[in-house]
Structure formats: C-alpha cells, structure tokens
Amino acid sequence: MIAPDTLRLDKWLWSARFYKTRALAVEEIGRGRVEVNGQSAKPSRELKPGDTVLLRQGPVPRTVVVRGLSKLRGPAPVAQQLYEETAESVAARERFAEQMRLAPEPASSLVHGRPTKRDRRDIERESDRRGWDDRWSASIDD
C-alpha cells in the first residue's frame, strides 16, 4: 500500500494510537486540546510529515513530530513509528511521573468516612457490652 501524502488530523491521531476512537480524537480536537504547528486545528486539518502536533493526554501535554502517515490502525510498535516525541516532551512526562510517584496517597488523608469491617466489628462489640437497655432512651416511667 502506498502511503498518502497528507492525512486528516483525526485519522492520524487514531492510527498513531493517541486516542482509542476517531470520535474521541474529534472530541479532543474540538475542546482545543490539539494544536498543529502552534495553531489550533480542526479534525479535517491535513497533516504531512514534518508537522508538529501538540496534544494533551490527561494532565500532561505531549509534543510530537509527524514522521509517517497511515490510514490503518496497526499494532502499537508500528504506530510508534508514525511519530517522534520531542526531548522536552519526554522530560516533562518523566517529571510529571516522578511527581505523581512522590505525591501522598489521597485516601491517607481521610480521617472519617465509612467504617471498615474491623471498625464495624468494634462498634458491634461495644453495643453488645452495653446491653439491650442502654440502646434505648425510652423509659417505662411516666
């Protein structure tokens, strides 16, 4: 198969495996999260080898240079040959990964919340020690 000279941006993002479907690629482009050569782009924007694409996958921006075009979505090793990530982009992703690794676990800051199984058992033991009369505040005396 002869490689095309140009290819739509949404098709290229899909075939290079940046997004799982073309619809997701179109949605991200529409939200302004994808730029081509420093300019905001439309899904129908024609890409050619040598173009620079800035995109965001989650919180980290990625800058890649288009090296090849393909209308077909192939396996990941083949898709990685369609682009080359810039050194600055790789360094930024590595810095972000390191920050995420060193960040504290969000759940560790929770003090109260739903009791665990152990907490529930402790609560049940407490109530069994108090007895039936301690559970109710109503009295027979008027």
Side-chain angles (χ1 to χ4, degrees):
M1 183 173 152
I2 298 174
D5 293 338
T6 62
L7 187 67
R8 286 175 55 110
L9 175 61
D10 59 341
K11 284 186 180 182
W12 185 82
L13 289 171
W14 168 76
S15 66
R17 291 184 165 265
F18 286 107
Y19 300 107
K20 196 169 189 173
T21 64
R22 275 186 60 198
L24 284 175
V26 169
E27 188 176 320
E28 292 297 302
I29 294 167
R31 290 181 178 171
R33 295 181 181 158
V34 178
E35 294 179 0
V36 177
N37 297 329
Q39 300 175 351
S40 61
K42 293 182 179 180
S44 61
R45 166 81 187 248
E46 293 291 324
L47 275 183
K48 60 186 180 305
D51 284 345
T52 303
V53 178
L54 174 73
L55 60 108
R56 264 196 2 232
Q57 285 184 306
V60 181
R62 295 180 74 176
T63 305
V64 297
V65 178
V66 178
R67 293 291 175 218
L69 304 174
S70 174
K71 290 184 178 180
L72 301 175
R73 182 179 169 102
V78 174
Q80 290 172 352
Q81 294 175 359
L82 297 178
Y83 62 90
E84 180 182 335
E85 191 168 5
T86 62
E88 297 85 23
S89 177
V90 171
R93 277 194 309 119
E94 289 173 355
R95 278 193 309 271
F96 181 76
E98 184 69 18
Q99 288 174 352
M100 292 303 293
R101 191 179 66 75
L102 297 175
E105 174 66 32
S108 65
S109 65
L110 295 176
V111 178
H112 298 290
R114 185 173 175 176
T116 63
K117 191 172 189 176
R118 184 180 206 170
D119 294 339
R120 192 187 76 245
R121 287 179 178 163
D122 291 341
I123 292 168
E124 288 174 359
R125 276 192 220 108
E126 275 291 310
S127 64
D128 288 345
R129 281 191 214 130
R130 288 191 308 227
W132 178 259
D133 294 335
D134 294 336
R135 292 186 193 169
W136 304 100
S137 61
S139 63
I140 300 174
D141 300 332
D142 286 334

